[in-house]
Amino acid sequence: MLERIALHQTRLRTPGLGLEGKGVALGAKGLVLLPSLDRLVAWLSVYTREHSLEDLMPSLVIEIVQSKLGTKEITLSFAAESSDRMDRVAETARLVGGFTFTGTSRHFVQYRDAAAPFGYDATQLISTDAPLVLYHDRFTQVYATEKEVGLRSLLLRLMPHVDPSTVEDGGPRFIVAEQGLGPALIHYFVRSRVEGEVAVGEWPPESAFDEGPVRRYVMRIPDLPKRMRPLMARTPGLTTFLPAGPGVAVEMGYRHPVALRACPVFDPNGLVLIRGRGDEPWTLEKMPQMGDLRAFARVELRSEGGADVLKASATRLPEPVRVPLRVVPSPAPWRNVTATWIPPQQLSLLRRIAYALPHQTILRTQVALTERGAFLRSNQGIEAIPLGTFFVEIHPNLYIPAGYDVTPAVAPEVLYRALGASASQVLFINTAAHAIAVEESAFSPLETALLEAQAWEPLVAEEIHRALEEAPVDLKLEPLGVFALSQVQPPAQPEEPQPGVPQLPPGTQPPR
Amino acid sequence: MAKDDPQTLCERLFSTFLGPLVVGGTMLPGKLFGGKGALSIGNHRQPSDVDLLSRSELTRVRVARKLAPIDTLDQAPSGNEWALAACLHDLVQSTHPGFDALFRRSGPKRILDVIEKTLERIPPPASVGDALSRHTWFSRMFELARTDIDLQWWTGSERFLGTEPPRRLTAWPELRRVSETRTPRPLMDLPSSGSAVDVQRFTMVTAAFLEKTPLTDLATVTRSAPVFLWTRESLALAATQGGRTMVGRALGLLSQRAVDTALGRATKQLFAAKAVRALFVAVDLLRDRALMAASARLVGKDEPEPLAIGPEQNDAAFAIGAGALVASHWIAQTGGGFNEAERRAILHVLAPAAQSAAAREVKALLG
């Protein structure tokens, strides 16, 4: 019933079938015949893994068709447009066990394959009123349309597969909390400094026995901390969803069989939450107004015993509320460690280490010598000089000890302003929160300091000289005295012969 | 007469003699210790002068680090080191000019007898580390020197041995035309300079002392007296890998020609005595020196200069020839851990010395 189209053949018998630029027989439509619904899902799954359905969507129609023998099959038709698109579709259909056809209205012939690179033409057309006639080299079949299947409804009916690995996936999340859990969860997030937005969604009552619409809190968390993911996955009343595309999310712990991101059937302004376990999806036709989580934090009022407002008794400016500055250990990693404070007791070590420092370190390090010790700064990092207390520059000319933080946690600019130092001063705050100001002009390059031999530098040479010198051994004599030999007595004889003393090595006994 | 307790002896010995011997400065030996006193100090005795002790440790570490990569040493001497220090003290005092007097001339002989008997009671070093420790205490023994002053003035002259002349003799130097000549006398010159001690006997006791600190013995191998001879202790030290390495480094600090002369002379005596086992140790040291010399010539040179020795049959040529001969055989038999190119280059460098007349003499002696 089918014949292969030959090269340069121009005339075709099948109505609506023509030759495109490459010589391939192509109708206005393409059609994929699939034996069952699971094959359709498989086709969608495989196709959307690599390609988007966006270009097919305007013309995509899924229908359940019935042959004269009563068998039901599924067709998926779309605008053929080009042999490139048809090739992609045919390739996927071949993988999942489907057949690809092309035609225009009613008669569809088999699309080209390896045996017929230019496609097929029907030699004899069947005369029928049926809406669909398919010509294949193995069969010719007439189908009647039973019903149309919407892609969106199909995707929503598909049950997601269990996939625990998605619990560890990063990225934003939607968390749906039952009405009773919502406030507590919001408070938990606010207390844990988790940023996000929250809205309240309303769903119609599930049965006539429910009092009213079901309200649930819908939260969008851009970055849920890792430690909270298991909690959100396992707590009853909380359901976490991972966005799977614009306007659609799939429950955490499950994966939809079709790549929803490639299926533009969901309204980006709404939200469809596909749940696992066979539960029906939650749909919000329009995403409700979302507010910052912090706006919903628990609010507590003062007791009513006191006055509502304390009025100022005078018009003058009140005294500023000041709290002492504290420096506390911080677990944050060290960054920008660019200064060190070497106390006077460790200056001798600095002298010694100066000889071992590489040229680049000496070149870029600045030193200021004060009565409290030496302050060294290096924009490239001071770790090359492993002495003293390391300091982190939190603001230009403001240093705090590395591994520490200041409380109250004010901005570095505020702290610098509060210390009231002039621009020509460099401030170092030690662990006792005591600030020391060193004039910027007091810093000079370490290289220059070494070469200019400042006050402490000559001590180095002197000490080293003293340490390395070897004084001659000068023998001086004193008079022997009257009883010079009084102590000159041979040693006492040992009580018993001494055992053999180990030699180097044992057994080497050369003759003398 | 009341005897000093060991701590007092230890304090006096360290502050007047052992400390200055290590760090330098004025050494002022005093009353003799004798055998009993030397051995009575014992182990775990520490002087109270912590500053001097600390400085001496620093100096000792510096001495030790020339030979081995170590950073710490026992701060205080061990019992044997105290005894050796006391013996050296008495040895120095035996040259005191004060013994060159009536009824006192037998004093030095008695002192040397007691020193010899005391040294017999001191065991040789028990380990390479022990040898190194002893060396750090006594490495400068041949550097100690007494300054003798010959003073002349317009009406006379006088010699002051290890003492300063009184001020009255040096006053008004221009008017009285005072001239002062200072002559340093090292340890081995002391017996011949105003002393009553027998020079030969003094040299023998000094050699016996050096037996107890073999690393010092080898590190001063180029000394004129006592002449270096292989001893049981020095051979025992050189027989170990670590000891031989340290000895090699110590010898590397000296004049190589003088070292070769001393080692050649001492090794020849072993040949003459047919001390085969001792010869193996001595020849191993000469082999290592020959390899070091050859390796040094290979560094950075495409065509290294061969290790040539002249036609003369002296002790140095003997040492170099013996070392080169044994090194060539050793490389040919074991490879010596060198790759093929290095082996070829080293054998090329050693070939003239290994085929010299001295080497042939060694070959004949080895049979």
Side-chain angles (χ1 to χ4, degrees), chain B residues 16-348:
Chain B
T16 63
F17 186 80
L18 188 55
L21 179 64
V22 175
V23 301
T26 303
M27 175 188 275
L28 202 62
K31 202 168 183 179
L32 293 149
F33 285 89
K36 283 184 180 173
L39 295 173
S40 70
I41 299 176
N43 285 319
H44 312 300
R45 188 75 64 183
Q46 185 163 329
S48 59
D49 190 347
V50 179
D51 179 53
L52 183 57
L53 196 62
S54 171
R55 284 193 289 131
S56 67
E57 188 196 10
L58 279 175
T59 310
R60 289 175 60 219
V61 167
R62 200 160 62 242
V63 171
R65 283 188 70 86
K66 289 178 184 171
L67 310 179
I70 61 171
D71 292 325
T72 56
L73 289 163
D74 286 339
Q75 204 176 30
S78 65
N80 292 327
E81 287 162 351
W82 280 122
L84 281 171
C87 288
L88 186 60
H89 171 275
D90 287 2
L91 188 66
V92 172
Q93 277 296 67
S94 71
T95 63
H96 198 291
F99 286 114
D100 192 12
L102 192 62
F103 305 123
R104 282 191 162 182
R105 289 204 172 85
S106 62
K109 181 178 179 302
R110 186 175 157 196
I111 294 169
L112 295 181
D113 286 343
V114 169
I115 292 172
E116 270 195 325
K117 285 183 176 139
T118 310
L119 287 174
E120 286 171 6
R121 296 285 302 279
I122 300 172
S127 64
V128 176
D130 198 6
L132 180 62
S133 176
R134 289 189 188 185
H135 174 63
T136 59
W137 286 114
F138 305 111
S139 62
R140 301 184 70 188
M141 61 178 283
F142 289 108
E143 290 179 33
L144 74 86
R146 188 183 74 195
T147 305
D148 294 347
I149 302 172
D150 290 308
L151 194 70
Q152 288 183 331
W153 62 95
W154 59 0
T155 58
S157 64
E158 192 169 347
R159 172 175 283 188
F160 296 92
L161 304 177
T163 56
E164 289 294 323
R167 280 178 180 275
R168 61 182 173 82
L169 292 182
T170 56
W172 303 336
E174 291 178 0
L175 181 65
R176 295 173 58 238
R177 294 202 295 277
V178 176
S179 75
E180 192 178 289
T181 308
R182 292 177 174 264
T183 311
R185 303 277 182 200
L187 177 67
M188 298 313 293
D189 285 355
L190 293 179
S192 57
S193 177
S195 170
V197 72
D198 177 37
V199 176
Q200 204 169 0
R201 183 111 171 84
F202 180 85
T203 306
M204 283 176 61
V205 175
T206 306
F209 177 86
L210 284 171
E211 287 179 13
K212 303 300 175 187
T213 171
L215 191 52
T216 310
D217 189 13
L218 281 156
T220 57
V221 74
T222 55
R223 63 186 179 262
S224 55
V227 173
F228 173 74
L229 293 173
W230 282 111
T231 63
R232 178 177 302 175
E233 289 76 10
S234 55
L235 284 166
L237 178 65
T240 62
Q241 185 64 44
R244 192 159 62 244
T245 303
M246 284 202 304
V247 169
R249 289 173 183 161
L251 296 178
L253 300 172
L254 305 173
S255 160
Q256 295 310 294
R257 180 58 66 171
V259 169
D260 287 332
T261 303
L263 291 179
R265 182 175 57 236
T267 309
K268 265 185 178 175
Q269 292 192 1
L270 293 180
F271 271 106
K274 299 191 186 305
V276 179
R277 291 177 60 189
L279 258 178
F280 285 151
V281 176
V283 163
D284 276 355
L285 181 65
L286 297 178
R287 177 200 67 195
D288 284 2
R289 284 180 53 75
L291 285 175
M292 281 167 61
S295 300
R297 291 178 183 230
L298 292 183
V299 177
K301 292 180 182 173
D302 295 333
E303 292 183 3
E305 187 186 350
L307 188 66
I309 50 179
E312 66 273 17
Q313 295 286 332
N314 57 20
D315 295 332
F318 180 85
I320 296 171
L325 178 69
V326 176
S328 301
H329 277 275
W330 183 68
I331 288 179
Q333 287 174 1
T334 68
F338 300 104
N339 61 35
E340 182 58 36
E342 288 171 341
R343 277 202 297 273
R344 201 176 304 116
I346 288 176
L347 288 175
H348 170 71

Side-chain angles (χ1 to χ4, degrees), chain A residues 104-118:
Chain A
T104 300
S105 58
R106 183 180 296 175
H107 299 277
F108 285 79
V109 296
Q110 184 179 353
Y111 183 65
R112 69 168 183 160
D113 56 13
F118 298 104

